[in-house]
């Protein structure tokens, strides 16, 4: 994904607990499987996120020690990670043996035949650990399969973007009284966008009245791919606009051609998004996904939608978070009927984000890379991995005592992920994902900057999406 640049090692120090890499259940198997590749150097690249840092700092050294396979693992910015990966994939240079495959880009990679089919590897007992247990992965793994069901990448991170709020503020008797006097109903986790709006207004005005830096809303509104993602992945779905407003059967976005991107509901949601920026911190138009989490962690925001991979440090890192013990997590508000559609499998309420490790078609050390990918997905390490990086990709992880204990500190997030993850969805299967994002970014940013109205922006955007689809042959 995108988002937070976290220092896992530093986080471990502030957590006050030493990292003990999970005991390897069958070290002899790993040594035997790796014997043909001993001394090989495998190279990989990923985004600098907490899960990637955990693999670099903790998993890789232990893998090298046991197998004799050396791992050179580069973690860098989201932009650079993509630029380097795609250049390697396009040229076939074979620089990398494993790469980060984000959920929303997998369809573009598959369309270009850029990834190695891992299913034959899984069927090879000489290089696939007996306890790999494909059935133990959550449904998130399905995003990394092709139409035939073959697997092309193994998830190492999966998390929700959902609603987060300050429990200490919501449970304060004086604040509760003031809110009820003003709006006539109890302050509680909002289930509608109208309630969310009331709460946003209330806390922003409350901050002004008290002379404190507190706001009722947060957004990733910078002119950056993040603002397009926020609308497509989080805001519009919760208003009932799915799949980026594109009719996936007709591959068109405009209402005139069967899409919903410039529908009245999409325009209403977008108008709401732009209007709500007045209740966010003054610099909200400079925020990406990183700043939204940082501002919430600084205690300056009462509520918002945030990538919840950040909960690990928000709930535990005393050097960075001012809201430890004060965090609540819930489903996002939704427009009428949207939650029911999601429960029926006819829609979704927000973004199920994450990424996986895949092997480029041009990789030079595929078998050794496959061993490392499995190593990072080992069952034994998953609870500790989840504690460090707030991500879960295996069902068994939810049942671990460590995760159950941590769940309370994280406002019940792991329970939310386990019980309601099915209401969220990854990006739709759009191979032209990146150029699409650029189009959405252009028009959404214009409206956020006030250069055009939200309605005008969506009418123009829908036309340009339709034109792109036609040009691509759809």
């Amino acid at each position: 994904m995108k988002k937070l640049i976290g220092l896992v090692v530093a986080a471990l120090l502030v957590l006050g607990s030493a990292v003990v890499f999970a005991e390897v259940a069958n070290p002899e198997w790993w040594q035997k499987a790796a014997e043909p590749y001993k001394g090989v150097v495998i190279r990989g690249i990923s985004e600098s996120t907490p899960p990637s840092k955990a693999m670099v700092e903790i998993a890789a050294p232990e893998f090298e020690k046991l197998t004799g396979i050396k791992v050179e693992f580069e973690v860098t910015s989201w932009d650079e990670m993509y630029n380097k990966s795609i250049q390697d994939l396009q040229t076939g240079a074979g620089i990398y043996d494993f790469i980060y495959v984000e959920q929303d880009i997998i369809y573009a990679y598959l369309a270009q035949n850029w990834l190695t089919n891992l299913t034959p590897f899984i069927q090879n007992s000489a290089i696939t650990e007996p306890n790999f247990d494909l059935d133990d992965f959550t449904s998130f793994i399905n995003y990394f399969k092709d139409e035939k069901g073959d697997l092309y990448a193994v998830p190492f991170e999966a998390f929700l973007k959902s609603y987060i709020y300050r429990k200490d503020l919501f449970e304060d008797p004086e604040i509760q009284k003031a809110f009820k006097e003003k709006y006539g109903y109890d302050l509680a986790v909002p289930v509608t966008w109208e309630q969310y709006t009331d709460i946003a207004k209330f806390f922003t005005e409350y901050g002004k009245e008290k002379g404190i830096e507190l706001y009722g809303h947060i957004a990733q509104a910078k002119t950056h791919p993040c603002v397009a993602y926020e609308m497509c992945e989080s805001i519009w779905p919760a208003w009932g606009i799915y799949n980026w407003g594109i009719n996936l059967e007709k591959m068109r976005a405009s209402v005139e051609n069967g899409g919903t991107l410039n529908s009245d509901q999409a325009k209403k949601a977008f108008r709401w998004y732009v209007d709500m920026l007045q209740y966010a911190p003054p610099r909200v138009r400079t925020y990406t996904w990183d700043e939204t989490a940082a501002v919430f962690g600084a205690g300056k925001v009462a509520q918002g939608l945030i990538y919840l991979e950040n909960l690990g440090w928000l709930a535990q890192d005393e050097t960075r978070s001012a809201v430890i013990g004060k965090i609540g997590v819930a489903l996002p508000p939704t427009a009428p009927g949207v939650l029911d559609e999601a429960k029926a499998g006819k829609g979704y309420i927000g973004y199920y984000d994450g990424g996986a490790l895949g092997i480029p078609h041009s990789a030079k050390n595929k078998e050794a890379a496959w061993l490392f990918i499995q190593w990072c997905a080992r069952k034994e390490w998953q609870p500790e991995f989840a504690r460090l990086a707030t991500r879960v990709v295996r069902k068994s992880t939810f049942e671990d005592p460590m995760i159950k204990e941590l769940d309370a500190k994280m406002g019940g997030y792991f329970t939310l992920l386990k019980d309601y993850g099915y209401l969220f969805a990854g990006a739709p299967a759009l191979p032209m994902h990146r150029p699409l994002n650029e189009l959405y970014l252009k028009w959404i940013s214009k409206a956020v900057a006030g250069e055009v109205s939200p309605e005008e922006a969506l009418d123009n955007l829908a036309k340009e999406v339709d034109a792109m689809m036609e040009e691509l042959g759809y």
Side-chain angles (χ1 to χ4, degrees):
M1 131 104 259
K2 320 122 189 165
K3 302 161 284 297
L4 171 75
I5 297 176
L7 296 176
V8 167
V9 173
L12 298 177
L13 295 176
V14 300
L15 292 178
S17 57
V19 177
V20 179
F21 194 70
E23 184 177 352
V24 181
N26 48 357
E28 296 81 10
W29 182 90
W30 286 97
Q31 290 172 326
K32 182 179 179 181
E35 183 62 32
Y37 317 108
K38 198 170 184 178
V40 164
V41 178
I42 57 173
R43 296 179 174 84
I45 187 168
S46 186
E47 186 190 2
S48 182
T49 61
S52 296
K53 290 279 188 178
M55 291 190 291
V56 171
E57 303 289 350
I58 302 167
E62 295 293 333
F63 179 75
E64 291 180 350
K65 193 185 305 178
L66 182 63
T67 67
I69 299 172
K70 183 170 175 54
V71 181
E72 292 186 358
F73 197 158
E74 180 182 356
V75 292
T76 184
S77 68
W78 180 75
D79 306 72
E80 187 167 272
M81 177 273 297
Y82 268 119
N83 291 337
K84 287 187 172 182
S85 296
I86 290 176
Q87 185 175 16
D88 188 45
L89 292 165
Q90 285 178 325
T91 63
I95 295 171
Y96 298 113
D97 297 301
F98 60 93
I99 59 171
Y100 178 48
V101 182
E102 193 167 6
Q103 184 276 322
D104 51 18
I105 203 71
I106 180 75
Y107 310 106
Y109 288 3
L110 290 178
Q112 298 291 332
N113 294 317
W114 280 349
L115 295 176
T116 299
N117 184 350
L118 300 179
T119 297
F121 286 60
I122 295 171
Q123 295 167 346
N124 183 349
S125 60
I127 55 172
T128 296
E129 206 240 333
N131 296 321
F132 182 60
D133 193 0
L134 206 56
D135 291 337
D136 186 48
F137 284 86
T138 66
S139 59
F140 191 69
I141 198 171
N142 293 330
Y143 287 112
F144 301 94
K145 296 176 180 176
D146 67 3
E147 294 178 349
K148 298 177 182 176
D150 286 346
L151 186 68
Y152 284 81
V154 177
F156 66 89
E157 62 177 9
F159 48 88
L160 306 177
K161 184 176 181 182
S162 195
Y163 179 80
I164 187 171
Y165 67 104
R166 287 275 302 279
K167 288 176 62 176
D168 59 316
L169 297 177
F170 276 57
E171 295 172 358
D172 184 302
E174 290 188 14
I175 291 177
Q176 289 177 334
K177 181 181 177 184
F179 182 88
K180 189 163 187 176
E181 287 177 350
K182 195 162 191 173
Y183 292 100
Y185 64 93
D186 292 332
L187 175 62
V189 171
V191 296
T192 69
W193 289 112
E194 290 76 15
Q195 293 169 352
Y196 181 99
T197 303
D198 287 346
I199 295 169
K201 291 179 180 176
F202 173 82
F203 277 111
T204 300
E205 291 169 359
Y206 180 84
K208 290 179 181 176
E209 291 169 4
K210 297 295 182 182
I212 57 177
E213 195 173 7
L214 180 67
Y215 301 90
H217 179 60
I218 191 71
Q220 51 191 52
K222 183 176 181 177
T223 300
H224 177 278
C226 69
V227 70
Y229 284 127
E230 182 150 75
M231 282 306 306
C232 294
E233 297 170 344
S234 299
I235 304 300
W236 275 323
W239 286 75
I241 304 299
Y242 310 123
N243 301 321
W244 297 38
I246 297 172
N247 182 322
L248 298 182
E249 293 182 359
K250 298 183 177 180
M251 293 300 275
R252 294 292 186 272
S254 68
V255 170
E256 296 77 8
N257 290 316
T260 57
L261 184 54
N262 60 336
S263 64
D264 290 343
Q265 184 70 353
K267 290 176 177 177
K268 183 179 179 181
F270 191 27
R271 165 67 68 180
W272 175 88
Y273 180 80
V274 175
D275 289 345
M276 287 296 293
L277 296 178
Q278 65 183 299
Y279 304 114
R283 291 177 55 79
V284 66
R285 287 178 175 80
T286 69
Y287 292 173
T288 68
W289 34 65
D290 289 337
E291 287 78 18
T292 57
V295 171
F296 188 89
K300 298 178 181 178
V301 180
Q303 63 169 0
L305 302 181
I306 287 179
Y307 290 103
L308 296 182
E309 66 171 344
N310 292 289
L311 272 176
W313 71 268
L314 285 171
Q316 302 176 89
D317 188 344
E318 294 177 353
T319 67
R320 302 173 65 199
S321 175
V323 294
I324 294 174
K326 302 175 181 176
I327 301 171
V329 176
L331 298 178
T334 52
V338 171
L339 188 58
D340 289 337
E341 287 184 344
K343 288 179 178 178
K346 299 177 180 177
Y348 53 98
I349 64 173
Y351 191 39
Y352 201 153
D353 195 7
L357 293 180
I359 299 175
H361 66 100
S362 53
K364 296 172 181 173
N365 301 292
K366 293 184 178 181
E367 289 77 10
W370 171 239
L371 289 174
F372 180 66
I373 289 172
Q374 291 177 79
W375 179 261
C376 293
R378 285 186 314 118
K379 282 184 186 177
E380 309 96 280
W381 188 47
Q382 295 308 297
E384 182 69 12
F385 198 0
R387 185 179 77 87
L388 297 174
T390 329
R391 34 62 70 214
V392 175
V393 298
R394 283 188 178 273
K395 300 171 191 170
S396 56
T397 307
F398 290 118
E399 307 307 322
D400 189 272
M402 180 194 300
I403 297 306
K404 289 184 176 180
E405 181 180 349
L406 190 58
D407 190 41
K409 296 179 181 177
M410 293 192 173
Y413 170 61
F414 287 120
T415 298
L416 183 85
L417 178 61
K418 177 185 176 184
D419 293 344
Y420 297 107
Y422 76 99
L423 298 175
F424 296 74
L430 295 167
M432 70 300 292
H433 175 87
R434 294 207 81 187
L436 265 183
N437 178 270
E438 292 173 5
L439 275 187
Y440 281 69
L441 168 60
K442 180 176 76 172
W443 286 107
I444 289 172
S445 295
K446 284 178 179 289
V448 167
E451 297 174 14
V452 298
S453 71
E455 294 78 10
E456 183 182 358
L458 294 190
D459 283 335
N460 287 322
L461 175 58
K463 288 178 184 175
E464 293 191 13
V465 171
D466 283 359
M468 173 187 282
M469 293 298 185
E470 186 172 355
E471 186 178 343
L472 291 173
Y474 290 99

